[in-house]
Coordinates of all heavy atoms in Angstrom, one line a residue:
I1 N 5.4 12.5 8.6 CA 5.0 11.1 8.8 C 5.2 10.3 7.4 O 5.7 9.2 7.4 CB 3.5 11.0 9.2 CG1 3.3 11.4 10.6 CG2 3.0 9.6 9.0 CD1 1.9 11.5 11.1
L2 N 4.8 11.0 6.3 CA 5.0 10.3 5.0 C 6.4 10.0 4.7 O 6.8 9.0 4.2 CB 4.3 11.2 3.9 CG 2.8 11.3 4.0 CD1 2.3 12.3 3.0 CD2 2.1 10.0 3.9
K3 N 7.3 11.0 5.0 CA 8.7 10.8 4.7 C 9.3 9.7 5.6 O 10.0 8.8 5.1 CB 9.5 12.1 5.0 CG 11.0 12.0 4.8 CD 11.7 13.2 5.1 CE 13.2 13.1 4.7 NZ 13.9 11.9 5.3
L4 N 8.9 9.7 6.9 CA 9.5 8.6 7.7 C 8.9 7.2 7.4 O 9.7 6.2 7.5 CB 9.1 9.0 9.2 CG 9.8 10.2 9.8 CD1 9.3 10.5 11.2 CD2 11.3 10.1 9.8
R5 N 7.7 7.2 7.0 CA 7.1 5.9 6.5 C 7.8 5.3 5.3 O 8.1 4.2 5.3 CB 5.6 6.1 6.2 CG 4.7 6.0 7.4 CD 3.3 6.3 7.1 NE 2.4 6.1 8.2 CZ 1.1 6.5 8.3 NH1 0.6 7.1 7.2 NH2 0.4 6.2 9.3
Q6 N 8.1 6.2 4.4 CA 8.8 5.7 3.2 C 10.2 5.3 3.5 O 10.7 4.3 3.0 CB 8.8 6.8 2.1 CG 9.4 6.4 0.8 CD 8.8 5.1 0.1 OE1 7.7 4.7 0.5 NE2 9.6 4.5 -0.7
D7 N 10.9 6.1 4.4 CA 12.3 5.7 4.8 C 12.3 4.4 5.4 O 13.1 3.5 5.2 CB 12.8 6.8 5.8 CG 13.1 8.1 5.1 OD1 13.2 8.2 3.9 OD2 13.3 9.1 5.8
R8 N 11.3 4.1 6.3 CA 11.2 2.8 7.0 C 10.9 1.7 6.0 O 11.5 0.6 6.1 CB 10.1 2.9 8.0 CG 9.9 1.6 8.8 CD 8.8 1.7 9.8 NE 7.5 2.0 9.2 CZ 6.4 2.2 9.9 NH1 6.4 2.2 11.2 NH2 5.3 2.5 9.3
A9 N 10.0 1.9 5.0 CA 9.7 0.9 4.0 C 11.0 0.5 3.2 O 11.2 -0.7 3.1 CB 8.6 1.4 3.1
V10 N 11.7 1.5 2.8 CA 12.9 1.2 2.1 C 13.9 0.4 2.9 O 14.6 -0.5 2.5 CB 13.5 2.5 1.5 CG1 14.9 2.2 0.9 CG2 12.6 3.1 0.5
L11 N 14.1 0.9 4.2 CA 15.0 0.2 5.1 C 14.6 -1.3 5.3 O 15.5 -2.1 5.4 CB 14.9 0.9 6.5 CG 15.9 0.4 7.5 CD1 17.4 0.7 7.1 CD2 15.6 1.1 8.9
L12 N 13.3 -1.5 5.3 CA 12.8 -2.9 5.5 C 12.7 -3.7 4.2 O 12.3 -4.9 4.2 CB 11.5 -2.9 6.2 CG 11.5 -2.3 7.6 CD1 10.0 -2.2 8.1 CD2 12.2 -3.3 8.5
G13 N 13.1 -3.1 3.1 CA 13.2 -3.9 1.8 C 11.9 -3.8 1.0 O 11.8 -4.7 0.1
F14 N 11.1 -2.8 1.2 CA 9.8 -2.7 0.4 C 9.9 -1.4 -0.4 O 10.5 -0.4 0.0 CB 8.6 -2.6 1.4 CG 8.4 -3.8 2.1 CD1 9.0 -4.1 3.4 CD2 7.5 -4.8 1.6 CE1 8.7 -5.2 4.1 CE2 7.3 -6.0 2.3 CZ 7.9 -6.2 3.6
P15 N 9.3 -1.5 -1.6 CA 9.4 -0.3 -2.5 C 8.6 0.9 -1.9 O 9.1 2.0 -2.1 CB 8.7 -0.8 -3.8 CG 8.7 -2.3 -3.7 CD 8.7 -2.7 -2.3
T16 N 7.5 0.6 -1.3 CA 6.7 1.7 -0.8 C 6.1 1.3 0.6 O 6.1 0.1 0.9 CB 5.6 2.1 -1.7 OG1 4.6 1.0 -1.7 CG2 6.1 2.4 -3.1
H17 N 5.6 2.3 1.3 CA 4.9 2.0 2.5 C 3.7 1.2 2.3 O 3.3 0.3 3.1 CB 4.4 3.4 3.2 CG 3.6 3.2 4.4 ND1 4.2 2.8 5.6 CD2 2.3 3.4 4.7 CE1 3.3 2.7 6.6 NE2 2.1 3.1 6.0
A18 N 3.0 1.4 1.1 CA 1.8 0.5 0.8 C 2.2 -0.9 0.7 O 1.5 -1.8 1.2 CB 1.2 1.1 -0.5
D19 N 3.3 -1.2 0.0 CA 3.8 -2.6 -0.1 C 4.1 -3.2 1.2 O 3.7 -4.4 1.5 CB 5.0 -2.6 -1.0 CG 4.7 -2.3 -2.5 OD1 4.1 -3.2 -3.1 OD2 5.1 -1.3 -2.9
Y20 N 4.7 -2.4 2.1 CA 5.0 -2.9 3.5 C 3.8 -3.2 4.2 O 3.6 -4.3 4.8 CB 5.9 -1.8 4.2 CG 6.0 -2.0 5.7 CD1 6.6 -3.2 6.2 CD2 5.6 -1.0 6.6 CE1 6.7 -3.3 7.6 CE2 5.7 -1.2 7.9 CZ 6.2 -2.3 8.4 OH 6.4 -2.5 9.8
R21 N 2.8 -2.3 4.2 CA 1.6 -2.5 5.0 C 0.7 -3.6 4.5 O -0.1 -4.1 5.3 CB 0.8 -1.1 5.1 CG 1.5 0.0 5.8 CD 1.6 -0.3 7.3 NE 0.3 -0.5 7.9 CZ 0.0 -1.4 8.8 NH1 0.9 -2.3 9.2 NH2 -1.2 -1.5 9.3
M22 N 0.8 -3.9 3.2 CA -0.2 -4.8 2.6 C 0.4 -6.2 2.5 O -0.3 -7.1 2.0 CB -0.6 -4.3 1.2 CG -1.4 -3.1 1.3 SD -2.1 -2.6 -0.3 CE -3.3 -4.0 -0.5
A23 N 1.6 -6.4 3.0 CA 2.2 -7.8 2.9 C 1.4 -8.9 3.6 O 1.5 -10.0 3.2 CB 3.7 -7.7 3.4
D24 N 0.7 -8.5 4.7 CA 0.0 -9.5 5.4 C -1.5 -9.2 5.4 O -2.2 -9.1 6.4 CB 0.5 -9.6 6.9 CG -0.1 -10.7 7.6 OD1 -0.4 -11.8 7.0 OD2 -0.3 -10.6 8.9
T25 N -2.0 -9.0 4.2 CA -3.5 -8.7 4.0 C -4.1 -9.7 3.0 O -3.3 -10.4 2.4 CB -3.7 -7.3 3.5 OG1 -3.1 -7.1 2.2 CG2 -3.1 -6.2 4.5
M26 N -5.4 -9.7 2.9 CA -6.0 -10.5 1.9 C -5.7 -10.0 0.5 O -5.5 -10.8 -0.4 CB -7.5 -10.5 2.2 CG -8.0 -11.2 3.5 SD -9.8 -11.2 3.7 CE -10.2 -12.6 2.5
A27 N -5.7 -8.7 0.3 CA -5.4 -8.1 -1.0 C -4.0 -8.3 -1.5 O -3.7 -8.4 -2.7 CB -5.7 -6.6 -1.0
K28 N -3.1 -8.4 -0.5 CA -1.6 -8.7 -0.8 C -0.9 -7.5 -1.4 O 0.3 -7.2 -1.0 CB -1.5 -9.9 -1.7 CG -2.1 -11.2 -1.1 CD -1.4 -11.6 0.2 CE -2.0 -12.9 0.7 NZ -1.5 -13.3 2.1
T29 N -1.4 -6.8 -2.4 CA -0.7 -5.8 -3.1 C -1.5 -4.6 -3.3 O -2.7 -4.6 -3.4 CB -0.2 -6.3 -4.5 OG1 -1.3 -6.5 -5.4 CG2 0.6 -7.6 -4.4
P30 N -0.9 -3.4 -3.5 CA -1.6 -2.2 -3.8 C -2.4 -2.3 -5.1 O -3.5 -1.8 -5.2 CB -0.5 -1.1 -3.9 CG 0.6 -1.6 -3.0 CD 0.6 -3.1 -3.2
A31 N -1.8 -3.0 -6.0 CA -2.5 -3.1 -7.3 C -3.9 -3.9 -7.2 O -4.9 -3.5 -7.8 CB -1.6 -3.8 -8.3
N32 N -3.9 -4.9 -6.4 CA -5.1 -5.7 -6.2 C -6.2 -4.8 -5.5 O -7.4 -4.8 -5.8 CB -4.8 -6.9 -5.3 CG -4.1 -8.0 -6.1 OD1 -4.1 -8.0 -7.3 ND2 -3.4 -8.9 -5.4
A33 N -5.8 -4.0 -4.5 CA -6.7 -3.1 -3.8 C -7.2 -2.1 -4.8 O -8.4 -1.8 -4.8 CB -6.0 -2.5 -2.6
M34 N -6.3 -1.5 -5.6 CA -6.8 -0.4 -6.5 C -7.7 -1.0 -7.6 O -8.6 -0.4 -8.1 CB -5.5 0.2 -7.2 CG -4.8 1.3 -6.3 SD -5.9 2.7 -5.9 CE -6.0 3.4 -7.6
G35 N -7.4 -2.3 -8.0 CA -8.2 -2.9 -9.0 C -9.6 -3.0 -8.5 O -10.6 -2.8 -9.3
L36 N -9.9 -3.4 -7.3 CA -11.2 -3.5 -6.8 C -11.9 -2.1 -6.7 O -13.0 -1.9 -7.2 CB -11.3 -4.1 -5.4 CG -12.6 -4.1 -4.7 CD1 -13.7 -4.9 -5.5 CD2 -12.5 -4.6 -3.3
M37 N -11.1 -1.1 -6.2 CA -11.7 0.2 -6.1 C -12.1 0.8 -7.4 O -13.1 1.5 -7.6 CB -10.7 1.1 -5.3 CG -10.6 0.8 -3.9 SD -9.6 2.0 -2.9 CE -8.0 1.6 -3.4
M38 N -11.2 0.6 -8.4 CA -11.5 1.2 -9.8 C -12.6 0.4 -10.5 O -13.2 1.0 -11.5 CB -10.2 1.2 -10.6 CG -9.2 2.1 -10.0 SD -9.8 3.8 -9.4 CE -10.4 4.5 -10.9
K39 N -13.0 -0.7 -10.0 CA -14.2 -1.4 -10.6 C -15.5 -0.7 -10.2 O -16.5 -0.7 -10.8 CB -14.3 -2.9 -10.2 CG -13.3 -3.8 -10.8 CD -13.4 -5.2 -10.3 CE -12.4 -6.1 -11.0 NZ -12.5 -7.5 -10.5
V40 N -15.4 0.0 -9.0 CA -16.6 0.6 -8.4 C -16.6 2.1 -8.7 O -17.7 2.7 -8.9 CB -16.6 0.3 -6.9 CG1 -17.8 1.0 -6.2 CG2 -16.6 -1.2 -6.6
W41 N -15.4 2.8 -8.7 CA -15.4 4.2 -8.8 C -16.1 4.8 -10.0 O -16.9 5.8 -9.8 CB -13.9 4.7 -8.8 CG -13.7 6.2 -9.0 CD1 -13.3 6.8 -10.1 CD2 -14.0 7.2 -8.0 NE1 -13.2 8.2 -9.9 CE2 -13.6 8.4 -8.6 CE3 -14.4 7.1 -6.7 CZ2 -13.7 9.6 -7.9 CZ3 -14.5 8.3 -6.0 CH2 -14.2 9.5 -6.6
P42 N -16.0 4.4 -11.2 CA -16.7 5.0 -12.3 C -18.2 5.0 -12.2 O -18.9 6.0 -12.4 CB -16.2 4.2 -13.6 CG -14.9 3.6 -13.2 CD -15.1 3.3 -11.7
A43 N -18.7 3.9 -11.7 CA -20.2 3.8 -11.5 C -20.6 4.7 -10.4 O -21.7 5.3 -10.5 CB -20.6 2.3 -11.2
A44 N -19.8 4.9 -9.4 CA -20.2 5.7 -8.3 C -20.2 7.2 -8.7 O -21.1 7.9 -8.4 CB -19.2 5.6 -7.1

């Protein structure tokens, strides 16, 4: 599944599957999502 997802992302013009899936989200980018998670992770 991971291989096919990455192949599809590249075919559609996205660097990664995460970039493809997040194009129509509030977070917009993997970096924004990771930024929020890493604000919480150390305290947790």
Side-chain angles (χ1 to χ4, degrees):
I1 288 173
L2 295 174
K3 180 182 184 305
L4 294 175
R5 279 176 171 165
Q6 182 58 20
D7 288 346
R8 180 180 60 187
V10 172
L11 183 66
L12 292 171
F14 293 89
T16 70
H17 177 72
D19 289 289
Y20 167 59
R21 292 293 300 138
M22 295 188 67
D24 188 31
T25 62
M26 295 181 75
K28 301 299 184 187
T29 68
N32 288 339
M34 282 296 294
L36 174 62
M37 290 190 284
M38 296 315 296
K39 286 180 181 177
V40 179
W41 177 252

